[in-house]
Amino acid sequence: MVVKAASLQDWRSSWSKRAQVAAIAGLGYPLINALGHTLRWRVEGLQHYDAIVASGRQPVMAFWHGRILPATYYFRRRGIVVITSENFDGEWIARIIERFGFGTARGSSSRGGLKAMLKLVRDMERGRPAGFTLDGPRGPARVAQPGAVWLARATGNPVLPFHLEASSHWTANSWDRTQIPKPFSTVALVVGEPIDVPADATDQQLESSRQTLEFRLRALELRALEMLR
């Protein structure tokens, strides 16, 4: 009886979590989609993305976690594969972004990370771009983790940094200071020059590429802010 009671309790807990995930995703997608339709865009550097695809490769798209909402809307329907955590938040996030046409690789730096990275390698070999929130899933904010440059070395595809800034927005009280554009605001998107990582790059060269990525993202942020003046 104890075993059966425990099993029933586990089933109820699991069902409750699934219901919560479905409810959040069911509400989140139409809200983000409706907000996205009101935004105005100023875009610079998108030719770098087009040039990579035209060359037969795919970009490893790299940006800060705090800009995930406008990035999700702008780059929708491009088949980009991103890592989402294997937890409650990761589940509803995955459901939302999949409705925007993204693929998902489940895992994080603390759990299932290698499995997720290997899935990204396979997806890129099949011709799909990858997306990286460089400082996710927990920070520290604005510090690039090495995953994007590692993936570039493993696949031969370049890292493509980009940054977004909204003219009017709310800022969440979270570790990444997530920016939520207000309806009818203007969003500046700046795509930087790609960063190639050689297949035989040493650990020291990987670290140098990671630092270059951080430096370029700081410059892209300044440029995005200039575009909104």
Side-chain angles (χ1 to χ4, degrees), residues 109-137:
S109 58
S110 59
R111 181 181 179 186
L114 179 58
K115 178 183 69 175
M117 290 295 290
L118 292 177
K119 184 178 187 306
L120 285 182
V121 170
R122 292 193 297 269
D123 285 335
M124 296 205 84
E125 289 174 348
R126 297 184 184 109
R128 299 186 69 174
F132 257 92
T133 52
L134 293 168
D135 49 352

Side-chain angles (χ1 to χ4, degrees), residues 4-226:
K4 289 182 178 179
S7 298
L8 180 59
Q9 185 177 3
D10 290 343
W11 180 85
R12 286 175 175 171
S13 176
S14 176
W15 181 87
S16 177
K17 288 182 179 178
R18 290 199 299 269
Q20 291 176 51
V21 165
I24 295 172
L27 181 63
Y29 171 77
L31 284 176
I32 296 171
N33 192 48
L35 170 63
H37 275 87
T38 73
L39 300 177
R40 297 178 289 269
W41 299 89
R42 295 178 185 172
V43 181
E44 181 176 285
L46 196 60
Q47 71 272 12
H48 297 305
Y49 179 99
D50 296 334
I52 292 170
V53 175
S55 72
R57 298 190 293 172
Q58 294 293 338
V60 180
M61 307 186 69
F63 66 110
W64 298 130
H65 196 277
R67 300 298 182 268
I68 197 168
L69 194 151
T72 296
Y73 184 80
Y74 186 84
F75 287 107
R76 67 197 187 281
R77 316 293 178 216
R78 294 173 186 255
I80 300 168
V81 182
V82 300
I83 292 178
T84 57
S85 299
E86 292 182 310
N87 56 23
F88 177 80
D89 288 342
E91 184 62 36
W92 63 258
I93 290 170
R95 290 200 187 190
I96 290 174
I97 64 176
E98 285 170 358
R99 292 188 65 182
F100 279 107
F102 291 83
T104 56
R106 305 307 298 273
S108 69
S109 58
S110 59
R111 181 181 179 186
L114 179 58
K115 178 183 69 175
M117 290 295 290
L118 292 177
K119 184 178 187 306
L120 285 182
V121 170
R122 292 193 297 269
D123 285 335
M124 296 205 84
E125 289 174 348
R126 297 184 184 109
R128 299 186 69 174
F132 257 92
T133 52
L134 293 168
D135 49 352
R138 299 186 184 92
R142 305 301 180 92
V143 176
Q145 302 300 317
V149 294
W150 182 93
L151 184 62
R153 181 179 68 176
T155 63
N157 292 304
V159 181
L160 188 66
F162 68 94
H163 187 78
L164 308 99
E165 287 287 337
S167 59
S168 180
H169 59 269
W170 295 286
T171 301
N173 185 24
S174 57
W175 67 266
D176 62 350
R177 307 294 291 169
T178 291
Q179 188 178 98
I180 305 170
K182 292 184 178 180
F184 305 101
S185 61
T186 297
V187 179
L189 165 63
V190 189
V191 182
E193 294 184 1
I195 301 171
D196 285 297
V197 182
D200 60 351
T202 63
D203 289 344
Q204 184 176 358
Q205 289 172 315
L206 281 181
E207 173 59 16
S208 177
S209 296
R210 188 198 66 81
Q211 293 177 3
T212 298
L213 184 54
E214 279 190 6
F215 176 81
R216 291 196 183 176
L217 280 166
R218 286 195 290 269
L220 292 174
E221 180 177 1
L222 293 175
R223 177 56 187 155
L225 291 169
E226 286 178 359

